[in-house]
Amino acid sequence: MGVDVLVFNPPYVVTPNEEIDVTEEASAWAGGACGRQVLDVLLPQVPELLSPNGRFYLITIEENKPNEIIEFLELRGLRGTRVMERQAGREHLSVLRFTRSE
């Protein structure tokens, strides 16, 4: 078994690591270095969490290095693509989708 659909909108704003968990509000957006401190904890677990036909959707900004995230999960058996991109103020947002390579 596993998760059929996993959607993650992590705290992705690049901030000093000290801002993470300072307040409840900051925890919603403060992502630490590269905006990936929380995300980097989850990424290695995603292949084990997904069901055989599972999908993982991830919200990122360019500073999170989405191409690096795609490469990381591809090395672990998942195929990644950008399914949507959008400019929101100063942020360039992307939605990444991952499925099993099999």
Side-chain angles (χ1 to χ4, degrees), residues 29-85:
W29 52 266
C34 295
R36 288 180 39 181
Q37 187 159 336
V38 173
L39 176 59
D40 285 343
V41 173
L42 175 69
L43 286 179
Q45 300 174 53
V46 171
E48 291 86 36
L49 292 172
L50 292 181
S51 69
N53 295 313
R55 304 258 187 274
F56 172 45
Y57 293 91
L58 175 64
I59 312 299
T60 66
I61 57 174
E62 282 304 307
E63 292 84 355
N64 302 148
K65 303 178 183 174
N67 290 332
E68 185 178 288
I69 295 167
I70 290 170
E71 290 174 17
F72 178 86
L73 288 175
E74 283 182 347
L75 290 173
R76 286 149 183 84
L78 299 180
R79 181 177 52 241
T81 57
R82 286 188 199 219
V83 293
M84 180 184 280
E85 294 184 68

Side-chain angles (χ1 to χ4, degrees), residues 9 15 26 32 35 44 47 83 94-96 101:
N9 183 10
T15 62
V83 293
S94 295
V95 176
L96 308 181
S101 298

